[in-house]
Amino acid sequence: MVRPRSFFDHLIPKRDELQEELEKPELWSDPEKASKLNKELTFIKGRLGEVEDVKKILDESDVLLEFSREEDSSIADLRDSINKANDLLESIELKNLMSGRFDQGNAFLSFSAGAGGVDAQDWTEMLIRMYTRWATEHGYHVKVTDRSVGDEAGIKSATLYIEGEYAFGFLKSEKGVHRLVRISPFDSNHRRHTSFSYVEVLPEIAPAEQITIDPKDLRIDVFNASGHGGQNVQKNATAVRITHLPTKTVVACQNERSQLMNKNMAMKVLQSRLQKLEDERQAAKEKDLRGPRVSIEWGNQIRSYVLQPYTIVKDNRTGVEIGNVTKVLEGDLDALIWGYLKWKAKAEAS
């Protein structure tokens, strides 16, 4: 087995440089800079630590290999050790592929129901649950920052804040139109329906990288948060809607405990969306964060989830297919996400 010596060796000099810098007393007179450098050092140590873990497993495998030559009982342990090393190596390889500007940081997932009526709104709620389960299983913290419920069922639109290392790097694969084919639970004749939902994925922008927003360009409205059928309506106007007048960009947040907290979260989302617009203006050909907005209907889907007349999930970009749709809808997205990352890296290299 090839030893992972070269994966992150280039980070070793940077680690030493940061450690030396953080030991200087005068640095701590600038807490913001010190915090940024400390965060960068923690990240680098984490990557180097992963490689060391693989090396330790491989060293143990060498010992098990010697034992297996003398007793068959060690062969199973050797196989488990090699599989564990391979899993860690694949994880390291994927992280090594995520070298984009925002890949290491947090993400915002915004959902919009498209063609399909109440089925599309129900499908949007299913997608929100699917991504929430995936994120939770991978140790990410998930917060609903905004939600507009359907009149009959489901969700018209919503935004999730996914907090954790590489959240955007993994989830950027999910941007686009998602298509569902199933027997509609809302059709009394039990006919097959096709519905669509759009997932937008944006990175959280660090304060040091945020573009400047003139307060005069903002219109801030407050309103009461609402729930299904008028239930759980707040009496106090804590929800906040911010409109950036020059670009007509609108964001809202209603799930925090206070108006101030909702405003702060809404500003984070606004910063991310304005950064996306700025990046698209400066690098229209590259489209680093998101391609042009498309109609949320047939012909524009990146992925199809078919429950009738057969069961399959197929990613139209990578060709990855999974027969167990239920497992995917319960949050098992790794094969789809990893397939996209490898496909994208191959496409960029060619």
Coordinates of all heavy atoms in Angstrom, one line a residue, residues 157-188:
S157 N -40.4 27.6 0.9 CA -39.0 27.9 0.9 C -38.4 27.9 2.3 O -39.1 28.0 3.3 CB -38.8 29.3 0.3 OG -39.4 30.3 1.1
A158 N -37.1 27.7 2.4 CA -36.4 27.7 3.7 C -34.9 27.8 3.5 O -34.4 27.7 2.4 CB -36.7 26.3 4.4
T159 N -34.2 28.2 4.6 CA -32.8 28.3 4.5 C -32.2 27.6 5.8 O -32.7 27.8 6.9 CB -32.3 29.8 4.5 OG1 -32.8 30.4 3.4 CG2 -30.8 29.9 4.6
L160 N -31.2 26.7 5.5 CA -30.5 26.1 6.6 C -29.1 26.6 6.7 O -28.4 26.9 5.7 CB -30.4 24.6 6.4 CG -31.6 23.7 6.2 CD1 -31.3 22.3 6.0 CD2 -32.5 23.9 7.5
Y161 N -28.6 26.8 8.0 CA -27.2 27.2 8.2 C -26.5 25.9 8.7 O -26.8 25.4 9.7 CB -27.2 28.3 9.3 CG -25.8 28.7 9.7 CD1 -24.8 29.1 8.8 CD2 -25.5 28.8 11.1 CE1 -23.6 29.5 9.2 CE2 -24.2 29.2 11.5 CZ -23.3 29.6 10.6 OH -22.0 30.0 11.0
I162 N -25.5 25.4 7.9 CA -24.8 24.2 8.2 C -23.4 24.7 8.7 O -22.6 25.2 8.0 CB -24.6 23.3 7.0 CG1 -26.0 23.1 6.3 CG2 -24.0 22.0 7.5 CD1 -27.0 22.4 7.1
E163 N -23.1 24.4 10.0 CA -21.9 24.9 10.6 C -20.9 23.7 10.9 O -21.3 22.8 11.6 CB -22.2 25.6 11.9 CG -21.0 26.3 12.6 CD -21.4 27.0 13.8 OE1 -22.5 26.8 14.3 OE2 -20.6 27.8 14.4
G164 N -19.7 23.8 10.3 CA -18.7 22.8 10.6 C -17.7 22.8 9.5 O -17.9 23.4 8.4
E165 N -16.5 22.2 9.8 CA -15.4 22.1 8.8 C -15.8 21.4 7.5 O -16.3 20.3 7.5 CB -14.2 21.4 9.5 CG -12.9 21.6 8.8 CD -11.8 20.9 9.6 OE1 -11.6 19.7 9.4 OE2 -11.2 21.6 10.4
Y166 N -15.5 22.1 6.4 CA -15.8 21.6 5.0 C -17.3 21.5 4.7 O -17.6 20.8 3.7 CB -15.1 20.2 4.8 CG -13.6 20.3 4.6 CD1 -12.7 19.9 5.7 CD2 -13.1 20.8 3.4 CE1 -11.3 20.0 5.5 CE2 -11.7 20.8 3.3 CZ -10.8 20.4 4.3 OH -9.5 20.5 4.1
A167 N -18.1 22.1 5.4 CA -19.6 22.1 5.1 C -19.8 22.5 3.7 O -20.5 21.8 2.9 CB -20.4 22.9 6.1
F168 N -19.3 23.7 3.3 CA -19.5 24.1 1.9 C -18.8 23.2 0.9 O -19.3 23.0 -0.2 CB -19.0 25.6 1.8 CG -19.2 26.1 0.4 CD1 -20.5 26.4 -0.1 CD2 -18.1 26.3 -0.5 CE1 -20.7 26.9 -1.4 CE2 -18.3 26.8 -1.8 CZ -19.6 27.1 -2.2
G169 N -17.6 22.8 1.2 CA -16.8 21.9 0.3 C -17.6 20.7 -0.1 O -17.6 20.3 -1.3
F170 N -18.3 20.1 0.9 CA -19.1 18.9 0.6 C -20.4 19.2 -0.1 O -20.8 18.6 -1.1 CB -19.3 18.1 1.8 CG -18.1 17.3 2.3 CD1 -17.5 17.5 3.5 CD2 -17.7 16.2 1.5 CE1 -16.4 16.8 3.9 CE2 -16.6 15.5 2.0 CZ -16.0 15.8 3.2
L171 N -21.1 20.2 0.4 CA -22.5 20.5 0.0 C -22.6 21.3 -1.3 O -23.7 21.4 -1.8 CB -23.2 21.2 1.1 CG -23.5 20.3 2.4 CD1 -24.0 21.1 3.5 CD2 -24.5 19.2 2.0
K172 N -21.5 21.9 -1.8 CA -21.6 22.6 -3.0 C -22.0 21.7 -4.2 O -22.5 22.2 -5.2 CB -20.2 23.2 -3.3 CG -19.1 22.3 -3.6 CD -17.8 23.0 -3.8 CE -16.6 22.0 -4.1 NZ -15.3 22.7 -4.3
S173 N -21.8 20.4 -4.0 CA -22.2 19.4 -5.0 C -23.8 19.4 -5.2 O -24.3 18.9 -6.2 CB -21.8 18.0 -4.6 OG -22.4 17.6 -3.4
E174 N -24.5 19.9 -4.2 CA -25.9 19.7 -4.2 C -26.7 20.9 -4.8 O -28.0 20.9 -4.8 CB -26.4 19.6 -2.7 CG -25.7 18.4 -2.0 CD -25.9 17.1 -2.8 OE1 -27.0 16.6 -2.9 OE2 -24.9 16.6 -3.4
K175 N -26.0 21.9 -5.3 CA -26.7 23.1 -5.9 C -27.4 22.7 -7.2 O -26.8 22.0 -8.0 CB -25.8 24.2 -6.1 CG -24.6 23.9 -7.0 CD -23.6 25.0 -7.0 CE -22.4 24.6 -7.9 NZ -21.3 25.6 -7.9
G176 N -28.6 23.0 -7.3 CA -29.3 22.7 -8.6 C -30.8 22.2 -8.3 O -31.3 22.2 -7.2
V177 N -31.4 21.8 -9.4 CA -32.8 21.3 -9.4 C -32.8 19.8 -9.1 O -32.1 19.1 -9.7 CB -33.5 21.6 -10.7 CG1 -34.9 21.0 -10.7 CG2 -33.6 23.1 -11.0
H178 N -33.6 19.5 -8.1 CA -33.8 18.1 -7.7 C -35.2 17.6 -8.1 O -36.2 18.3 -7.7 CB -33.6 17.9 -6.2 CG -32.2 18.2 -5.7 ND1 -31.3 17.2 -5.2 CD2 -31.5 19.4 -5.7 CE1 -30.1 17.8 -5.0 NE2 -30.2 19.1 -5.2
R179 N -35.3 16.5 -8.7 CA -36.6 16.0 -9.3 C -37.0 14.7 -8.6 O -36.2 13.8 -8.3 CB -36.4 15.7 -10.8 CG -37.5 14.9 -11.4 CD -37.2 14.7 -12.9 NE -38.1 13.8 -13.6 CZ -37.8 12.6 -14.0 NH1 -36.6 12.1 -13.7 NH2 -38.7 11.8 -14.6
L180 N -38.3 14.7 -8.2 CA -38.9 13.5 -7.5 C -40.0 12.9 -8.4 O -40.9 13.7 -8.8 CB -39.4 13.9 -6.1 CG -40.2 12.8 -5.4 CD1 -39.3 11.7 -4.9 CD2 -40.9 13.4 -4.2
V181 N -40.0 11.6 -8.6 CA -41.1 10.9 -9.2 C -41.7 9.9 -8.3 O -41.0 9.0 -7.8 CB -40.6 10.2 -10.5 CG1 -41.8 9.5 -11.2 CG2 -40.0 11.2 -11.5
R182 N -43.0 10.0 -8.0 CA -43.6 9.1 -7.0 C -45.1 9.1 -7.2 O -45.7 9.9 -7.9 CB -43.3 9.5 -5.6 CG -43.9 10.9 -5.3 CD -43.8 11.3 -3.8 NE -44.3 12.6 -3.6 CZ -44.4 13.2 -2.4 NH1 -44.1 12.5 -1.3 NH2 -44.9 14.4 -2.2
I183 N -45.8 8.1 -6.5 CA -47.3 8.2 -6.4 C -47.6 9.3 -5.4 O -47.2 9.2 -4.3 CB -47.9 6.8 -6.0 CG1 -47.5 5.7 -7.0 CG2 -49.4 6.9 -5.8 CD1 -48.0 5.9 -8.4
S184 N -48.4 10.3 -5.9 CA -48.6 11.4 -5.0 C -49.5 11.1 -3.8 O -50.6 10.5 -4.0 CB -49.3 12.6 -5.8 OG -49.7 13.6 -4.9
P185 N -49.1 11.4 -2.6 CA -50.0 11.2 -1.4 C -51.1 12.2 -1.4 O -52.0 12.1 -0.6 CB -49.1 11.3 -0.3 CG -48.0 12.3 -0.8 CD -47.8 11.9 -2.2
F186 N -51.1 13.2 -2.3 CA -52.1 14.2 -2.3 C -53.1 14.0 -3.5 O -54.0 14.9 -3.7 CB -51.5 15.6 -2.4 CG -50.4 15.8 -1.3 CD1 -49.1 15.7 -1.6 CD2 -50.8 16.2 0.0 CE1 -48.1 15.9 -0.6 CE2 -49.9 16.4 0.9 CZ -48.5 16.2 0.7
D187 N -53.0 12.9 -4.2 CA -53.8 12.6 -5.4 C -54.8 11.5 -5.0 O -54.3 10.4 -4.8 CB -53.0 12.3 -6.6 CG -53.8 12.1 -7.8 OD1 -55.0 11.8 -7.7 OD2 -53.3 12.3 -8.9
S188 N -56.1 11.8 -4.9 CA -57.0 10.7 -4.5 C -57.1 9.6 -5.5 O -57.5 8.5 -5.2 CB -58.4 11.3 -4.3 OG -58.8 12.0 -5.6

